[in-house]
Amino acid sequence: MFELSEQPLDPDALRLRIDDPRCGAVVAFEGRVRDQNHGRPVDCIIYEAFAAVALAEGGAIVAEMQAAHQLSEVLVVHRVGKVELGDLAVWVGVSAPHRDAAFAGCAATISTIKARVPIWKHEHYRDGGPEWLHPLP
Amino acid sequence: MRVSILYFAGLRASAGTEREQIDTACADLATLYEELRARHGWSFAPSALRVAVNGALVSWSHALQESDEIAFLPPFSGG
């Protein structure tokens, strides 16, 4: 499942949603807002999504990852709106019978989400005006 | 042909609006993008963008139709 949230994320609550008694491995990735980027001091990030496309594409990626890595559960929740330093911007959790699949599946899921889901950072700095981040491949 | 354009992130900032309706003679997405690119001074080459029509990602060869809602999406930075 892929979701967008305007509210802060609670990793403990999210982890409960991927519990599966058949699974011996749970791997979660917590993406957090760090205090600098390219040498500039970051104050906060405001995330914007094209919600309709993000939800459809994110849901498709979750299904692809489940099939490709034999994962039991895959849950991705991405923040939109203002995210403060140190707070979670994205949480990716997967469960699988064994750890190799869980590690590989979690890593592939966050990489694919970053590449294909229309979400953008409006990064705010402590030393000047904000900027939209549009990294070229 | 009348279509709606949705703007996001940096392209919204430079367009100064999140949505507008335009009348265009452009027959395809690539030509329409170049028209908007010239008007708004966008630097992105088409190869750097994704494009969505009516809420779904499509290829640049997707045919335009009356009343389509089109969004040119600048490079993503989620995560």
Side-chain angles (χ1 to χ4, degrees):
Chain A
M1 184 170 286
F2 178 90
E3 299 173 0
L4 299 170
S5 174
E6 295 183 1
Q7 303 301 323
L9 306 184
D10 176 355
D12 292 332
L14 295 171
R15 199 178 307 114
L16 292 175
R17 294 175 55 190
I18 57 170
D19 270 354
D20 183 333
R22 295 168 299 171
C23 291
V26 169
V27 171
F29 171 77
E30 299 184 353
R32 295 172 180 270
V33 174
R34 63 175 179 274
D35 67 358
Q36 49 76 35
N37 192 25
H38 298 301
R40 296 191 66 185
V42 172
D43 184 48
C44 67
I45 295 176
I46 296 175
Y47 283 91
E48 174 179 323
F50 184 179
V53 174
L55 293 171
E57 190 73 357
I61 291 167
V62 163
E64 288 173 28
M65 293 295 126
Q66 277 177 312
H69 296 277
Q70 280 100 50
L71 304 172
S72 172
E73 301 290 335
V74 178
L75 177 61
V76 181
V77 188
H78 203 297
R79 280 295 315 275
V80 289
K82 184 177 183 181
V83 184
E84 305 284 356
L85 290 187
D87 282 357
L88 283 176
V90 60
W91 190 89
V92 178
V94 309
S95 55
H98 302 289
R99 71 180 184 281
D100 287 349
F103 277 121
C106 186
T109 301
I110 182 61
S111 296
T112 310
I113 292 287
K114 287 172 70 81
R116 286 174 38 193
V117 177
I119 298 175
W120 299 275
K121 291 182 177 83
H122 196 215
E123 201 159 64
H124 291 244
Y125 306 100
R126 283 179 277 129
D127 66 352
E131 287 184 17
W132 288 103
L133 300 193
H134 293 307
L136 294 172
Chain B
M1 179 163 53
R2 173 152 271 224
V3 297
S4 296
I5 310 292
L6 304 181
Y7 296 100
F8 291 94
L11 299 190
R12 174 163 48 74
S14 57
T17 183
E18 62 184 32
R19 180 189 186 96
E20 67 179 343
Q21 286 198 321
I22 62 167
D23 290 305
T24 180
C26 297
D28 60 76
L29 288 165
T31 313
L32 176 61
Y33 177 70
E34 290 303 334
E35 184 177 289
L36 293 169
R37 184 184 185 183
R39 177 147 69 90
H40 298 301
W42 294 337
S43 60
F44 296 111
S47 59
L49 304 187
R50 300 295 305 276
V51 55
V53 175
N54 302 328
L57 294 170
V58 299
S59 73
W60 283 91
S61 61
H62 184 91
L64 284 180
Q65 297 192 335
E66 177 76 23
S67 304
D68 273 349
E69 191 174 73
I70 300 153
F72 296 102
L73 306 176
F76 307 150
S77 54

